């Protein structure tokens, strides 16, 4: 006997992601999902961002790694709520999924958060396939990775809302063509905006902080409009 | 590799369907439709499914995978095309503003029980 199902296996994730989005919308929390390959500098960018925004905004972080709580410890120094998700206890998953984020949301006091950063697992492939309930997907690409990454890993770049080009302080020490890198990213995603920065020196962090503030304002206005 | 969680997802969906229908039979075959762009590696999926399905009604099931090609529509001129490369450029007007019509799915189409 043949039984028709016609069910999307990834649908289960999308359903939970929508639940997360609803919870976060009600609280007016801007949620940003940071994706990159390992070592692109997500954690240092977050440290510098928290330093910059901490006195004006209440920030929370969900840290995803296969193993260790090193990154969570780095961020907890800023005295903000940080939840570490390690996927080695759940099969070493290569990405965060909506259910892991849902559980993490359960352990955060959402009333005291305005901006929530989700640092995804370092991987340019799988995280792009899983909606977590975030407002924006941010892709971090460091100059040392080469200008062809957007065309080599197009799926992640296609889904991103913003590209952060990190390690700008190395620009003059590398044979990298920054213009070509940006051109490649627009080949995959014509609307992709980019901000160039160096988490190490702090250059460009202001511009990124402005982008976050603008999006938080937009979110607040939208949540307000929905509430009235 | 997230084929492991996808294999668990397949088994979960089928168990729910069996439960709904009060079906006690064993699943012989599962027909999947996997998009070219879904980043799913069939070999890894078969491997993961092999050990996830142990002691379930899917234990002896064969996975029949139909690959769904990537199809795009140009948002500038409206042309439908099947891209040959991972970068989508309209063959007619050369625009990069492209909508993906199919190729991202990961569907269980149907399954067969005995």
């Amino acid at each position: 006997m043949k039984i028709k199902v016609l069910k999307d296996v990834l649908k289960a994730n999308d359903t939970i992601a929508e639940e997360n989005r609803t919870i976060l919308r009600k609280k007016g929390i801007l949620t940003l999902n940071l994706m990159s390959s390992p070592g692109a500098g997500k954690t240092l960018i977050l440290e510098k961002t928290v330093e910059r925004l901490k006195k004006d905004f209440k920030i929370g972080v969900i840290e995803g790694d296969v193993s260790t709580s090193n990154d969570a410890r780095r961020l907890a120094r800023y005295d903000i709520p940080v939840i570490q998700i390690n996927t080695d206890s759940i099969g070493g998953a290569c990405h965060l999924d909506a259910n892991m984020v849902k559980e993490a949301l359960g352990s955060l006091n959402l009333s005291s958060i305005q901006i929530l950063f989700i640092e995804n697992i370092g991987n340019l492939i799988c995280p792009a396939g899983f909606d977590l309930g975030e407002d924006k997907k941010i892709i971090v690409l460091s100059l040392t990775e080469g200008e062809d990454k957007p065309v080599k890993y197009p799926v992640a770049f296609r889904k991103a809302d913003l590209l952060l080009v990190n390690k700008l302080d190395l620009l003059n020490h590398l044979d990298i063509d920054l213009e070509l890198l940006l051109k490649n990213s627009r080949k995959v995603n014509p609307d992709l905006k980019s901000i160039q920065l160096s988490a190490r020196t702090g250059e460009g962090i202001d511009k990124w902080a402005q982008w976050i503030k603008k999006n938080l304002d937009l979110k607040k206005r939208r949540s307000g409009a929905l509430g009235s | 590799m997230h084929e492991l969680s996808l294999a668990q997802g397949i088994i979960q969906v089928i168990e729910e369907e069996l439960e709904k229908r009060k079906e006690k039979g064993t699943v012989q075959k599962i027909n999947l439709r996997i998009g070219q762009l879904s980043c799913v590696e069939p070999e890894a999926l078969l491997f993961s499914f092999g050990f996830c399905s142990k002691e379930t009604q899917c234990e002896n099931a064969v996975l029949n995978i139909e690959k769904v090609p990537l199809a795009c529509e140009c948002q500038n001129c409206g042309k439908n095309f099947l891209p040959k490369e991972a970068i989508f450029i309209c063959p007619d007007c050369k625009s990069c503003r492209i909508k993906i019509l199919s190729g991202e799915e990961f569907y269980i189409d149907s399954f067969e029980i005995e």
Side-chain angles (χ1 to χ4, degrees):
Chain A
M1 180 172 61
K2 189 168 180 173
I3 298 175
K4 269 278 177 197
V5 184
L6 286 175
K7 262 197 184 156
D8 194 328
V9 180
L10 295 171
K11 194 78 185 179
N13 182 76
D14 292 349
T15 308
I16 301 170
E18 269 320 307
E19 291 169 15
N20 291 348
R21 192 165 281 120
T22 305
I23 293 168
L24 293 161
R25 191 190 299 129
K26 277 186 188 148
K27 299 279 183 187
I29 301 173
L30 177 71
T31 308
L32 305 175
N33 175 7
L34 270 78
M35 306 183 291
S36 80
S37 54
K42 293 185 297 302
T43 312
L44 192 59
I45 290 176
L46 280 185
E47 287 183 74
K48 294 295 169 89
T49 310
V50 171
E51 250 173 47
R52 181 65 51 100
L53 295 175
K54 197 186 142 195
K55 68 173 180 357
D56 299 319
F57 302 98
K58 290 178 274 185
I59 301 174
V61 178
I62 296 175
E63 263 298 332
D65 282 294
V66 174
S67 183
T68 82
S69 53
N70 295 354
D71 288 357
R73 274 205 297 269
R74 278 168 67 181
L75 285 153
R77 287 194 307 225
Y78 297 91
D79 203 22
I80 54 167
V82 183
I83 302 283
Q84 176 79 53
I85 300 173
N86 281 142
T87 61
D88 56 358
S89 58
I90 35 183
C94 46
H95 58 272
L96 293 181
D97 67 31
N99 198 42
M100 299 176 202
V101 171
K102 186 184 169 188
E103 282 179 24
L105 291 180
S107 15
L108 284 167
N109 177 8
L110 297 178
S111 303
S112 66
I113 294 175
Q114 294 169 288
I115 304 168
L116 177 66
F117 294 102
I118 303 174
E119 184 179 338
N120 218 310
I121 292 175
N123 176 342
L124 266 185
I125 306 169
C126 309
F130 290 81
D131 184 8
L132 305 178
E134 73 276 40
D135 293 297
K136 303 279 181 194
K137 285 180 166 47
I138 320 287
I139 195 140
V140 180
L141 180 65
S142 59
L143 287 182
T144 48
E145 292 169 67
E147 54 273 272
D148 60 352
K149 284 297 172 293
V151 288
K152 273 185 170 170
Y153 299 92
V155 179
F157 286 85
R158 196 172 293 125
K159 295 206 168 159
D161 299 290
L162 178 72
L163 166 66
L164 295 180
V165 181
N166 191 25
K167 306 192 185 176
L168 197 60
D169 52 307
L170 295 179
L171 185 60
N172 296 327
H173 305 283
L174 301 168
D175 295 326
I176 181 122
D177 183 342
L178 178 57
E179 274 315 305
L180 180 60
L181 183 154
L182 296 173
K183 205 173 139 198
N184 280 339
S185 76
R186 286 192 299 266
K187 244 192 220 173
V188 174
N189 183 346
D191 300 318
L192 187 59
K193 298 264 182 306
S194 69
I195 295 174
Q196 294 140 44
L197 52 82
S198 162
R200 183 171 165 262
T201 64
E203 184 184 357
I205 291 286
D206 254 339
K207 216 171 162 196
W208 157 234
Q210 287 303 330
W211 185 93
I212 296 171
K213 283 185 208 167
K214 192 185 83 189
N215 279 279
L216 180 62
D217 278 348
L218 277 174
K219 171 111 191 186
K220 271 192 212 149
R221 252 180 273 158
R222 281 199 200 121
S223 311
L226 283 172
S228 62
Chain B
M1 303 295 282
H2 62 246
E3 279 77 0
L4 181 64
S5 47
L6 291 175
Q8 287 165 334
I10 293 170
I11 294 163
Q12 196 186 334
V13 168
I14 290 185
E15 283 183 333
E16 280 166 14
E17 290 293 324
L18 291 170
E19 171 82 31
K20 215 160 62 185
R21 295 177 158 84
K22 308 264 177 257
E23 233 3 292
K24 301 274 180 226
T26 54
V27 179
Q28 301 294 312
K29 191 174 176 186
I30 302 170
N31 298 306
L32 302 172
R33 286 170 58 81
I34 304 183
Q36 196 185 329
L37 208 68
S38 65
C39 299
V40 175
E41 193 54 60
E43 283 299 314
L45 183 67
L46 291 173
F47 176 74
S48 306
F49 183 81
F51 62 82
C52 285
S53 60
K54 289 228 161 61
E55 293 171 20
T56 72
Q57 278 169 281
C58 299
E59 185 161 10
N60 298 311
V62 175
L63 291 188
N64 175 37
I65 298 174
E66 184 195 339
K67 289 192 183 166
V68 182
L70 181 60
C72 292
E73 182 187 75
C74 175
Q75 298 299 283
N76 186 41
C77 74
K79 183 176 175 71
N80 283 14
F81 65 101
L82 305 175
K84 304 251 179 314
E85 290 173 33
I87 307 307
F88 312 147
I89 299 173
C90 175
D92 279 5
C93 74
K94 311 292 175 208
S95 168
C96 296
R97 218 166 284 277
I98 303 298
K99 184 180 165 195
I100 297 169
L101 298 176
S102 72
E104 287 185 304
E105 56 274 80
F106 186 94
Y107 264 92
I108 303 176
D109 177 75
S110 57
F111 63 95
E112 292 161 35
I113 54 170
E114 201 178 75

